Amino acid sequence: MKHVFLLLLALLLPNIALASGAVHETINLTDHWLGYTALAIFALAYSLVILEEKLHLRKSKPVLLAAGLIWIFIAAYYGSHGMPDAAEVAIRHNFLEYGELFFFLLVAMTYINAMLERNVFDALRDYLVAKGFTYKSLFWLTGILAFFISPIADNLTTALIMCAVVMAVGKDKPKFVAMSCVNIVVGANAGGAFSPFGDITTLMVWQKGIVQFSEFFDLFIPSVVNFVVPAFIMQFALPDGKPEASSTQMTQIKQGGLTIVGLFIMTIITAVSFHNFLHLPPVFGMMLGLAYLKFFGYYLRKASHNHLNKLEQPISHTSADVVDGYDIFDSIAKAEWDTLFFFYGVILAVGGLGFIGYLGMASAFMYGELGATTANVLVGILSAIVDNIPVMFAVLTMNPEMPHSQWLLVTLTAGVGGSLLSIGSAAGVALMGQARGYYTFFGHLKWAPVIALGYGASIYVHLLLNG
């Protein structure tokens, strides 16, 4: 029976068998018209990504188109030179990397959406608003919470929750809202740098196996320095006093909300255990963790229907009933699909540029001519202008020879470098929309020197402790 199954696989999937066993040499096309065309396509696509807020064009659209066009040119060129399978082998390698990250992020996003649906974060927000803290206390509290929540949740969701708090209590103090948003962005990005779950770039480094799970915590103290230095200086410009007590009714966490938080922590433990003890990719642990949520969602739905039966209300299978009882597929549907597709376009487009030869050229210059420390500091500065996902993927694809402390350094700089500008991270871009009129590009830029001081101090502390 086993031999029959293997024969069927060979008949149904011949291309996979060929691709896995094929080895192809690559052609350096960096001085060829194809290379220049691919660079122009990528540059144009990324210009549209940067102008997303102005054009109202979702960032995934231009990079998806760019990735497709770049690989069409590559495949046509290699096909015309007698190597029709070379592009297929290369693109499968890139797609496998994307596939692992896609399902990992999808599970994490599903859990975060489940917590949002169960009012976990709304309850936390209302609790903070009702406590009657001073402006300075709220500034520090929201920043510290952003720092410690983002390693478990992602920095984008964390920043949005904390921004909702400062918007609720400080609408009549625009300066407080603006400064708190800057602090939240810095805190969320710094907190995400010392955890594989805090940022997509740290997740990429972990899944690649370059930095082990426990080794990320070597970046904890540098991350604290990155957050505390600018926050300490900024606090002296905060307004005095405290906001008026809010009469807003406290949001109640829905049934099972705290259990879902516990299941998410169990899922993280499962993913880490798969990686450390079974030597399996962490994504398989995350998918097992999704099963935890699916079965618990089934329990919530049945409990809701039983409650309706006790009230002698007729049960209909409408979408409203499903949402009240919790439907996990609602949480999956609300994942950041634009971000996931953007991620696909970036990985495939940058992978194409690497296949052409540009990443090897960039690696030889940055890590060969400038040196690892200078190059990794520049990676962080570049991630403030260009999204840190393509920057980190390019570094991982280059795979330069450098000591482990330098891999930790580039993980740190790519994570916190985006705080230098409001457009440098997903958290900053999101808060410009959420706190429109309060938190702006130039409002953030005003504090860029102070943030840069924290950036430099965190690098120094890292080299002192880990170098």
Side-chain angles (χ1 to χ4, degrees), residues 22 24 74-91 355:
H24 296 279
I74 292 172
Y77 183 86
Y78 273 79
S80 67
H81 284 73
M83 292 185 283
D85 297 327
E88 179 188 0
V89 173
I91 203 169
F355 191 66

Side-chain angles (χ1 to χ4, degrees), residues 104-105 108-109 111-113 115-116 121 124 145-161 188-189 191-193 195-200 202 261 264-265 268:
F104 193 107
L105 290 169
M109 289 176 176
Y111 264 102
I112 296 301
N113 287 333
M115 293 181 217
L116 287 168
F121 295 124
L124 173 62
L145 284 173
F147 182 86
F148 283 105
I149 294 175
S150 62
I152 302 171
D154 63 283
N155 50 8
L156 172 60
T157 303
T158 303
L160 290 173
I161 296 162
N189 289 337
S195 163
F197 301 90
D199 192 82
I200 294 176
T202 56
V261 175
F264 185 45
I265 294 171
I268 293 172

Side-chain angles (χ1 to χ4, degrees), residues 409-429:
L409 176 60
V410 75
T411 302
L412 174 69
T413 56
V416 303
S419 301
L420 293 167
L421 297 176
S422 63
I423 60 170
S425 66
V429 172

Side-chain angles (χ1 to χ4, degrees), residues 180-205:
S180 295
C181 285
V182 174
N183 191 45
I184 288 166
V185 169
V186 175
N189 289 337
F194 71 89
S195 163
F197 301 90
D199 192 82
I200 294 176
T201 55
T202 56
L203 176 59
M204 292 162 71
V205 173

Side-chain angles (χ1 to χ4, degrees), residues 148-404:
F148 283 105
I149 294 175
S150 62
I152 302 171
D154 63 283
N155 50 8
L156 172 60
T157 303
T158 303
L160 290 173
I161 296 162
M162 294 301 107
C163 181
V165 173
V166 299
M167 287 289 291
V169 299
K171 284 187 176 179
D172 57 339
K173 294 283 186 180
K175 186 177 182 180
F176 163 74
V177 174
M179 293 179 64
S180 295
C181 285
V182 174
N183 191 45
I184 288 166
V185 169
V186 175
N189 289 337
F194 71 89
S195 163
F197 301 90
D199 192 82
I200 294 176
T201 55
T202 56
L203 176 59
M204 292 162 71
V205 173
W206 182 45
Q207 293 233 108
K208 197 81 170 178
I210 293 173
V211 178
Q212 299 305 311
F213 182 83
S214 59
E215 293 172 336
F216 278 95
F217 296 101
D218 292 341
L219 296 174
F220 176 75
I221 294 177
S223 296
V224 169
V225 170
N226 183 271
F227 161 62
V228 169
V229 169
F232 178 77
I233 297 171
M234 290 171 65
Q235 69 171 335
F236 296 107
L238 286 167
D240 295 323
K242 66 179 188 179
E244 294 181 9
S246 174
S247 58
T248 306
Q249 187 176 0
M250 293 284 289
T251 301
Q252 297 298 314
I253 298 177
K254 293 183 183 178
Q255 180 187 9
L258 295 179
T259 303
I260 290 175
V261 175
L263 290 177
F264 185 45
I265 294 171
M266 280 182 58
T267 298
I268 293 172
I269 294 171
T270 303
V272 174
S273 299
F274 266 52
H275 184 69
N276 289 350
F277 303 118
L278 300 179
H279 305 290
L280 292 172
V283 63
F284 292 107
M286 292 296 286
M287 293 302 288
L288 177 59
L290 183 62
Y292 306 159
L293 184 58
K294 279 178 169 286
F295 275 98
F296 186 66
Y298 172 78
Y299 162 77
L300 287 177
R301 189 171 174 183
K302 296 295 287 185
S304 174
H305 285 187
N306 291 338
H307 178 67
L308 290 173
N309 281 332
K310 287 179 182 178
L311 295 175
E312 297 181 351
Q313 293 182 0
I315 298 175
S316 62
H317 295 286
T318 63
S319 59
D321 290 325
V322 172
V323 171
D324 288 340
Y326 182 71
D327 182 1
I328 188 172
F329 288 101
D330 282 349
S331 296
I332 294 173
K334 292 174 183 174
E336 290 286 334
W337 289 102
D338 183 54
T339 298
L340 292 171
F341 286 131
F342 168 74
F343 200 19
Y344 165 85
V346 163
I347 285 184
L348 270 293
V350 173
L353 295 179
F355 191 66
I356 289 169
Y358 284 116
L359 296 188
M361 181 189 297
S363 178
F365 171 71
M366 290 179 64
Y367 291 94
E369 299 291 330
L370 300 178
T373 301
T374 303
N376 291 331
V377 171
L378 288 175
V379 163
I381 296 171
L382 185 61
S383 69
I385 304 166
V386 181
D387 193 277
N388 59 2
I389 295 172
V391 174
M392 179 54 85
F393 183 72
V395 173
L396 291 173
T397 306
M398 293 175 196
N399 197 22
E401 287 287 337
M402 57 183 178
H404 192 67

Side-chain angles (χ1 to χ4, degrees), residues 88-107:
E88 179 188 0
V89 173
I91 203 169
R92 281 188 188 279
H93 172 74
N94 287 313
F95 191 79
L96 178 61
E97 289 195 25
Y98 168 72
E100 288 188 20
L101 289 165
F102 170 85
F103 284 106
F104 193 107
L105 290 169
L106 185 63
V107 175

